[in-house]
Amino acid sequence: MAGGNCTIVNEFVLLSFSALQPKLQALLFLLFLTTELTTLMGNALIILVTTVDCGLHSPMYFFLRNLSLLEIGFNLVIVPKMLGTLLAHDTNISFLNCAVQMYFFFFFGASECFLLATMAYDRYLAICDPLRYPVIMSHKACVQLAAVSWLSGLPVATVQTTWLFSFPFCGSNQVNHFFCDSPPVLKLVCADTALFEIYAIVGTILVVMAPCLLILGSYVCIGFTIIRMPSAEGKRKAFSTCSSHLLVVSLFYGSGSLTYFRPKSNNSPESKKLLSLSYTVVTPMLNPIIYSLRNKEVKTTFRHILHRRQAIPF
């Protein structure tokens, strides 16, 4: 159907990695499938381990469970469709499914930003105000903070996705990406998008920078507190409690910033695809590995679960 110079778009085509040779696409499929399974299993194990062990019911592990749930959701929104484009060359995605994928991409991404800030605040209270920490971070307070983190993604996802998909699309329906991200879809719009682009830039900066500043402020206070600690053992324990979170934050914000805040002259579609893989595929896989390998309590509980499993007669 056509109206003037505009064509009603019923579906998009994800170009994904179609420029690569079939053999390379097959190798990528195996690599991403392995990564997907590792991500799902790793985050599911984090949830299992921190749930079954009563000793891991502290606020830190409560927020870690929520982070793992977010990572699973974020990963499932992007990777299965990408695997389909590589294996079955199923590059078509309906208008509705594209909008749904973009919505949940923004939802999980924004929620993770605020959850990481909440986890930094938790570490700040635990190290800088340990006497009042059990009172301030009660179970009710933890649930409220987690709920706010999750709900923070709703307005971002709703406004940006609804606004973008209210524009008319015309001409090409090929999205030069492996998922429905805002910039490549926006290029297909045949209308004035200046106001939307201003909103998108301002919204992205607020969603990314506000939690980032909270994280930075928390770790500045934590750093000063650790420096003032008299014993080396106290400093080591204090640093070990937040080192995993700090590494996860660095991976998440580092890869996201390189993708969305680079100059357009250095931001070719192919380079953006590679950078997008870092926070959509690699980071969700590394998070459970980082927390399990760098956390003695998690490793101990996991070993106990394995020993009990092996002791069960068949």
Side-chain angles (χ1 to χ4, degrees):
M1 297 176 63
N5 292 326
C6 295
T7 301
I8 296 177
V9 174
N10 295 315
E11 65 177 12
F12 295 103
V13 176
L14 295 173
L15 295 183
S16 190
F17 302 98
S18 57
L20 299 177
Q21 295 179 354
K23 289 184 178 180
L24 287 176
Q25 291 189 45
L27 288 174
L28 281 179
F29 171 80
L30 292 174
L31 176 62
F32 294 150
L33 178 61
T34 303
T35 304
E36 169 78 348
L37 295 176
T38 303
T39 300
L40 297 179
M41 290 176 60
N43 283 287
L45 281 174
I46 288 289
I47 296 171
L48 173 65
V49 167
T50 58
T51 300
V52 300
D53 190 341
C54 295
L56 300 181
H57 286 184
S58 64
M60 180 176 74
Y61 295 108
F62 172 78
F63 293 126
L64 180 56
R65 283 195 294 276
N66 279 269
L67 179 63
S68 291
L69 283 171
L70 273 175
E71 295 288 26
I72 289 173
F74 190 80
N75 194 260
L76 288 176
V77 167
I78 305 298
V79 179
K81 180 59 181 177
M82 181 175 65
L83 292 175
T85 62
L86 290 170
L87 178 65
H89 303 289
D90 180 20
T91 58
N92 291 345
I93 183 169
S94 69
F95 188 88
L96 177 61
N97 287 342
C98 186
V100 169
Q101 187 183 54
M102 184 182 294
Y103 179 90
F104 283 104
F105 168 73
F106 285 131
F107 170 74
F108 287 120
S111 298
E112 184 163 344
C113 287
F114 284 94
L115 184 62
L116 289 172
T118 301
M119 295 173 76
Y121 175 67
D122 171 70
R123 292 299 83 207
Y124 158 75
L125 289 175
I127 295 172
C128 301
D129 199 0
L131 295 179
R132 294 200 304 156
Y133 175 72
V135 178
I136 297 175
M137 295 301 290
S138 63
H139 179 69
K140 181 179 179 181
C142 290
V143 172
Q144 290 173 340
L145 287 170
V148 169
S149 298
W150 280 86
L151 293 175
S152 64
L154 287 176
V156 177
T158 302
V159 173
Q160 189 146 331
T161 305
T162 304
W163 191 352
L164 176 54
F165 279 87
S166 67
F167 286 120
F169 292 87
C170 58
S172 173
N173 67 340
Q174 294 183 338
V175 178
N176 195 5
H177 212 332
F178 56 84
F179 72 99
C180 286
D181 197 3
S182 178
V185 173
L186 189 63
K187 291 180 179 179
L188 307 181
V189 172
C190 53
D192 183 8
T193 60
L195 186 59
F196 173 82
E197 291 182 56
I198 293 172
Y199 159 78
I201 293 172
V202 173
T204 302
I205 291 174
L206 288 176
V207 169
V208 172
M209 293 306 298
C212 188
L213 290 174
L214 289 172
I215 293 170
L216 183 60
S218 297
Y219 276 108
V220 167
C221 295
I222 289 172
F224 281 122
T225 301
I226 292 176
I227 290 172
R228 291 196 299 266
M229 288 181 177
S231 68
E233 180 64 17
K235 292 179 179 180
R236 186 193 65 80
K237 287 183 178 180
F239 179 76
S240 66
T241 61
C242 55
S243 58
S244 297
H245 176 258
L246 192 56
L247 184 55
V248 168
V249 167
S250 300
L251 287 171
F252 182 79
Y253 275 97
S255 57
S257 298
L258 285 173
T259 303
Y260 291 101
F261 296 115
R262 290 198 314 162
K264 287 189 176 181
S265 58
N266 300 328
N267 203 11
S268 68
E270 298 307 316
S271 65
K272 186 173 181 180
K273 289 178 191 178
L274 292 175
L275 287 171
S276 298
L277 287 173
S278 61
Y279 64 83
T280 58
V281 178
V282 179
T283 301
M285 178 189 68
L286 291 179
N287 285 356
I289 297 173
I290 291 169
Y291 274 105
S292 59
L293 291 180
R294 299 179 63 87
N295 192 298
K296 184 178 179 180
E297 292 174 313
V298 172
K299 288 190 291 186
T300 301
T301 302
F302 182 58
R303 283 197 293 267
H304 288 166
I305 292 174
L306 288 178
H307 290 158
R308 286 200 298 268
R309 176 69 179 174
Q310 292 172 358
I312 296 175
F314 291 94

